[in-house]
Amino acid sequence: MRTTGRVHRPSPLRVDRTKRSAPGLALACVTVAAILTGCSMQDATCGGGEYPVMAIGSTGSACVPNDEEPPEGYTRYPEGKVPEHVGDKWDTYWQTHTVDKDGNIVEVPEGE
């Protein structure tokens, strides 16, 4: 058997390449997970474990823990018209509309 006395050492370039690809792979995995789970990059109206409520007679809003009722002077948004993200369709709509004391949706006069 012939031996040459040479020692095989991995190329330093190959080591650097694996170190550089790890962050890229992690970023790709996070992106794919966000797409597959429907994760939105928009700011949520309320945090986890909360739901949004609106002030009766004005454009004010607040967030209430899921296990609590809205505080006095607030009510739940009408079904199907709940804002989920800042700037979405319903968030924009409720900037010019509100619910009166009888539960009717009304337009808010300018300047209020």
Side-chain angles (χ1 to χ4, degrees), residues 54-90:
M54 63 188 309
I56 298 170
S58 77
T59 59
S61 64
C63 295
V64 177
N66 287 340
D67 60 347
E68 293 182 18
E69 289 299 314
E72 188 174 332
Y74 287 83
T75 187
R76 294 176 186 264
Y77 284 92
E79 189 174 335
K81 298 180 180 183
V82 180
E84 295 180 14
H85 296 97
V86 175
D88 71 10
K89 172 184 173 181
W90 293 115

Side-chain angles (χ1 to χ4, degrees), residues 17-18 20 36 55 67 70-71 77 79 93 101 104:
R17 188 175 296 153
T18 27
R20 284 185 295 170
L36 293 177
D67 60 347
Y77 284 92
E79 189 174 335
Y93 176 83
K101 61 181 173 55
N104 300 311

